Amino acid sequence: MCYVPKVEEKLTHNVVGIDFGIKNNLTTTDGEVINVNVPETKAVRLDSRRFNKYIHRKKLEGYSMKEIRKFSNYWKLRNALRKAYEKLVNIKSDKANKIVS
């Protein structure tokens, strides 16, 4: 363990407003535009492909979407895809929060 003296930060009293928008992720009052881009991960692509392939296969077998939703594999694949997208959203919001702070 070591002792590091506390550094006093000087306040500049410059206030910056941040707008969370749709077209641009972050826009400051100074006019600076910050876009937080997170590429689609391999897990999202694979899960999406598996889910769509499963639905397509079941439709070729003659099942309707109402019937397909009753199968447990449908829900397993759907939840896997939901979790993959949720992780992607969490990464994006984490980056935005780090930029804001």
Side-chain angles (χ1 to χ4, degrees):
M1 183 184 289
C2 63
Y3 172 74
V4 178
K6 186 176 180 181
V7 179
E8 293 288 330
E9 294 183 12
K10 294 180 181 178
L11 298 177
T12 59
H13 298 292
N14 292 339
V15 179
V16 177
I18 299 175
D19 178 40
F20 295 93
I22 296 172
K23 185 176 179 184
N24 299 314
N25 295 109
L26 302 170
T27 307
T28 63
T29 52
D30 301 338
E32 185 180 354
V33 176
I34 303 168
N35 286 320
V36 181
N37 294 327
V38 178
E40 192 175 63
T41 61
K42 189 175 181 179
V44 171
R45 283 194 307 264
L46 286 175
D47 287 339
S48 177
R49 197 168 171 193
R50 285 180 189 139
F51 183 66
N52 291 331
K53 203 173 189 179
Y54 177 79
I55 291 174
H56 182 70
R57 196 175 338 119
K58 289 296 180 185
K59 282 187 176 181
L60 287 177
E61 291 175 6
Y63 292 106
S64 67
M65 270 311 288
K66 197 172 191 178
E67 293 171 323
I68 293 172
R69 287 191 185 114
K70 293 181 182 176
F71 297 122
S72 62
N73 282 342
Y74 169 83
W75 292 104
K76 287 178 190 176
L77 292 170
R78 185 173 180 260
N79 286 334
L81 181 61
R82 182 187 56 81
K83 284 181 184 179
Y85 272 116
E86 192 174 335
K87 285 182 184 179
L88 201 62
V89 168
N90 288 341
I91 291 169
K92 187 176 179 180
S93 64
D94 180 53
K95 284 187 177 185
N97 288 334
K98 285 180 180 176
I99 289 171
V100 168
S101 66

